[in-house]
């Protein structure tokens, strides 16, 4: 099933505004901020995180008053123009008795994910935490009365899992002066947006940074009406309470890392830290009619593609209204996790490919993509990730026989399968070095060959 996607427009918007280019842009030494680099160290190593979109929208799950509402599930209030007074009544029905923070964290752990980011408040304005700033929250407005962030923070602390909070700083359809709701309230241009920031968004950011232990990152989103001055207030607030907390790329000012458009993976490697937020089906918040899950092989390819370009993959699940993450999405994630338990060395702490030809190439005919950008023809045979003295070649298709290593000046010490340590003979001929992988390929989800070389870094 393909949902008529409004997020593709959003993705295009982000792509245009954030200009994640196909080629790596070297960062001049003078531009490197040591404090920022220190904050980013865990993020650069982690590579793979679990995004969780959960809120009242999981109850209608894509349907309102018996009618299917197209689009992403968490946008149902906007798409169906549901009045605040009516939407608020969902809170009285929200009683996710099967919610089990330990089970969610266990899933992320089994999946091989190193951090979790959950929607503390999405555009509908509903908070998953007890908030003195607004009674429209899970403790004060629902029969459930439990603080989800508190339970998740405790579960994450037990398992050494980093926890970050998504927070919709600008769009808040519940508030007369929040951005986005023009069906109950006046258009954005006539709103007192600073009143909303002062009375809800800024106090709630303070709350989530104060009451739940160390916060790995704040994931701001859709910065409508965010002037540089307003964004600065959020940056100062975050830094003043938890200086180590990362800020994503959608605050409305430069964050600690670049956030690409939804489901967008840049064509080439990037030197700045970056992250792709992505759906496992076609929605973020749960929709009962979207069961088009990505397959484990697709996810593994995307993960390696992203890591080989220096980025992180933040892959989303949408729990149901009873608190359970759909079993089929759990199964997919756990299968990826099984692959990572064997091959994780090629991912965690790995850096981008020192090569790049394997990623693909711009269309020689000068073709353009749907956004009018130069078309990049992606190659999917294999990806390369690196660590000092080691290259990891992850093959998704049978490699050519023999497979020639890309040119580099370093001496090669040895090559072997990551999964079982079996050596591969390196044959030198006419200045090239090659190995032959027997068919069928060891693991069709991704077969990793480690090539160890002299020195720390590849010299070309
Ligand atoms: O409008 C949101 C959407 O609901 C979802 O949260 C995504 C996740 O990246 N962000 C916005 C669209 O880009």
């Amino acid at each position: 099933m393909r949902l008529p996607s409004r997020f593709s427009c959003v993705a295009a918007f982000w792509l245009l505004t954030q200009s994640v280019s196909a080629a790596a842009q070297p960062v001049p030494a003078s531009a490197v901020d040591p404090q920022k680099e220190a904050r980013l160290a865990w993020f650069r190593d982690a590579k793979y995180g679990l995004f969780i979109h959960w809120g009242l929208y999981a109850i209608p799950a894509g349907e309102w008053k018996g009618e299917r509402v197209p689009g992403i599930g968490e946008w149902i209030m906007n798409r169906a123009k549901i009045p605040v007074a009516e939407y608020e009544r969902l809170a009285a029905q929200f009683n996710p008795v099967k919610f089990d923070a330990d089970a969610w964290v266990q899933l992320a752990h089994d999946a091989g994910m190193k951090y979790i980011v959950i929607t503390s408040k999405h555009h509908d304005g509903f908070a998953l935490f007890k908030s003195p700033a607004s009674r429209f929250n899970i403790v004060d407005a629902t029969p459930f009365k439990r603080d989800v962030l508190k339970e998740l923070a405790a579960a994450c602390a037990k398992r050494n899992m980093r926890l970050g909070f998504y927070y919709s700083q600008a769009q808040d359809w519940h508030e007369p002066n929040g951005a986005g709701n023009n069906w109950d309230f006046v258009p954005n241009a006539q709103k007192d947006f600073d009143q909303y920031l002062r009375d809800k968004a800024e106090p709630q950011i303070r709350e989530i940074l104060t009451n739940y232990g160390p916060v790995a990152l704040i994931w701001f989103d859709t910065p409508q009406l965010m002037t540089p001055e307003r964004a600065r207030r959020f940056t100062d607030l975050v830094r003043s309470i938890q200086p180590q907390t990362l800020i994503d790329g959608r605050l409305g000012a430069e964050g600690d890392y670049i956030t690409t458009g939804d489901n967008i993976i840049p064509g080439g490697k990037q030197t700045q830290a970056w992250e792709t937020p992505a759906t496992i089906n076609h929605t973020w918040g749960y929709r009962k009619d979207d069961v088009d899950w990505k397959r484990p092989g697709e996810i593994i390819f995307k993960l390696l593609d992203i890591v080989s370009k220096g980025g992180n993959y933040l892959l989303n699940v949408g729990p149901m209204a009873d608190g359970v993450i759909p079993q089929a999405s759990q199964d997919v994630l756990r299968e990826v996790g099984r692959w990572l338990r064997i091959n994780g060395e090629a991912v965690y702490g790995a850096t981008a490919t020192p090569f790049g030809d394997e990623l693909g190439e711009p269309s020689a005919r000068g073709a353009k993509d749907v956004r009018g950008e130069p078309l990049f023809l992606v190659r999917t045979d294999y990806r390369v990730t690196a660590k000092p003295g080691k290259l990891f070649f992850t093959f998704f298709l049978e490699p050519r026989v023999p497979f020639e290593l890309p040119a580099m000046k370093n001496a090669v010490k040895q090559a072997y399968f990551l999964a079982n340590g079996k050596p591969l003979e390196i044959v030198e001929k006419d200045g090239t070095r090659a190995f032959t992988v027997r068919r069928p390929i060891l693991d069709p989800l991704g077969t990793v060959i480690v090539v160890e070389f002299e020195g720390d870094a590849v010299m070309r």
Side-chain angles (χ1 to χ4, degrees):
M1 182 203 71
R2 296 268 152 203
L3 295 174
S5 98
R6 72 149 279 297
F7 64 72
S8 58
C9 310
V10 177
F13 165 77
W14 282 109
L15 195 76
L16 292 172
T17 54
Q18 302 202 23
S19 78
V20 176
S21 61
Q25 306 295 320
V27 180
S30 58
V32 174
D33 169 352
Q35 284 181 338
K36 176 166 152 177
E37 283 310 309
R39 277 198 294 278
L40 277 167
W42 74 264
F43 181 84
R44 286 195 189 271
D45 281 355
K47 299 297 170 200
Y48 190 31
L50 180 66
F51 213 175
I52 303 176
H53 276 66
W54 197 40
L56 298 181
Y57 39 80
I59 300 173
E63 208 176 90
W64 193 250
K65 297 186 174 161
E67 298 283 323
R68 185 175 170 275
V69 180
I72 40 185
E74 70 285 4
W75 271 70
I76 193 163
M77 180 180 178
N78 182 301
R79 291 297 297 254
K81 302 292 175 237
I82 304 171
V84 167
E86 221 176 297
Y87 190 84
E88 265 181 346
R89 288 205 284 273
L90 289 172
Q93 296 172 46
F94 196 59
N95 197 14
V97 288
K98 294 190 182 157
F99 168 68
D100 176 350
D102 290 312
W104 286 14
V105 177
Q106 183 68 43
L107 170 65
H109 177 267
D110 292 350
M113 291 158 151
K114 302 294 186 191
Y115 59 109
I116 293 177
V117 181
I118 184 164
T119 47
S120 65
K121 185 205 81 167
H122 203 265
H123 308 331
D124 64 356
F126 178 75
L128 284 182
F129 57 100
K130 163 87 179 158
S131 172
S134 162
R135 286 191 55 78
F136 193 43
N137 74 72
I138 193 161
V139 177
D140 294 319
T142 78
F144 190 55
K145 294 194 187 311
R146 281 160 51 188
D147 185 324
V148 162
L149 298 200
K150 194 140 258 172
E151 294 184 25
L152 256 186
C156 283
K158 274 193 267 174
R159 294 231 59 146
N160 236 351
M161 179 71 68
R162 289 180 193 263
L163 179 62
F165 299 134
Y166 172 107
Y167 189 89
S168 176
Q169 78 280 24
Q171 293 205 71
D172 191 318
W173 307 327
H174 185 260
E175 305 303 324
N177 287 312
N181 183 342
N182 58 4
W183 57 98
D184 285 289
F185 309 121
V186 293
N188 281 354
Q190 293 165 33
K191 288 181 180 179
D192 184 355
F193 186 59
D194 283 308
Q195 180 272 328
Y196 152 75
L197 293 182
R198 230 179 11 250
D199 293 352
K200 185 167 180 183
E202 289 172 13
Q204 287 197 328
I205 289 291
R206 186 177 288 284
E207 289 163 20
I208 59 180
L209 284 165
T210 308
N211 299 332
Y212 303 99
V215 176
L217 57 89
I218 303 278
W219 218 95
F220 294 106
D221 204 3
T222 61
Q224 298 177 6
L225 304 179
M226 292 297 293
T227 58
E229 194 276 321
R230 287 167 175 155
R232 175 91 224 162
R233 288 194 333 241
F234 280 97
T235 308
D236 290 348
L237 192 55
V238 175
R239 299 280 183 254
S240 69
I241 304 173
Q242 292 208 31
Q244 295 312 312
T245 298
L246 297 176
I247 295 174
D248 76 329
R250 295 187 181 178
L251 171 59
E254 194 187 321
D256 287 304
Y257 60 87
I258 291 171
T259 306
T260 71
D262 294 347
N263 291 299
I264 300 285
I265 301 176
K269 54 184 168 171
Q270 315 290 318
T271 42
Q272 282 198 57
W274 63 276
E275 178 182 66
T276 291
T279 50
I280 194 166
N281 43 356
H282 303 278
T283 180
W284 305 88
Y286 176 67
R287 285 191 65 106
K288 58 188 162 206
D289 59 357
D290 186 351
V291 291
D292 188 18
W293 315 108
K294 292 191 178 59
R295 292 180 305 278
E298 278 179 78
I299 294 172
I300 292 169
F301 174 75
K302 284 179 195 291
L303 176 61
L304 270 294
D305 188 30
I306 288 169
V307 175
S308 81
K309 295 166 181 170
N312 282 27
Y313 191 21
L314 183 63
L315 183 58
N316 182 76
V317 291
M320 298 179 288
D322 62 0
V324 174
I325 295 172
Q327 189 58 45
S329 58
Q330 291 197 38
D331 294 346
V332 170
L333 291 182
R334 285 205 166 86
E335 191 159 345
V336 175
R338 278 191 285 279
W339 186 90
L340 278 166
R341 271 198 289 289
I342 296 167
N343 298 292
E345 206 193 326
V347 171
Y348 309 118
T351 51
T353 174
F355 313 114
D357 287 351
E358 75 278 14
L359 302 174
E361 61 199 329
S363 156
R365 294 188 188 158
K368 304 267 190 238
D369 67 16
V370 285
R371 291 177 294 273
E373 304 278 316
L375 184 66
F376 191 77
L377 304 171
V378 178
R379 291 210 180 106
T380 56
D381 311 33
Y382 71 96
R383 287 294 179 264
V384 183
T385 50
K387 284 187 177 165
K390 281 184 186 177
L391 291 168
F392 302 89
F393 289 80
T394 303
F395 292 98
F396 305 99
L397 300 171
E398 311 265 334
R400 276 190 195 174
V401 173
F403 175 79
E404 279 183 17
L405 289 180
M408 60 188 215
K409 292 187 180 136
N410 313 58
V412 170
K413 295 203 277 194
Q414 56 169 341
Y416 52 90
F417 287 91
L418 182 58
N420 58 20
K422 281 203 181 135
L424 279 159
E425 191 190 356
I426 301 269
V427 178
E428 294 218 34
K429 199 177 152 201
D430 303 331
T432 63
R433 288 166 292 192
F435 55 72
T436 295
V437 177
R438 259 214 249 126
R439 299 182 175 206
I441 199 166
L442 188 68
D443 183 346
L445 290 178
T447 297
V448 184
I449 309 289
V450 186
V451 174
E452 290 189 6
F453 59 89
E454 296 280 356
D456 274 353
V458 164
M459 291 176 299
R460 303 212 63 201

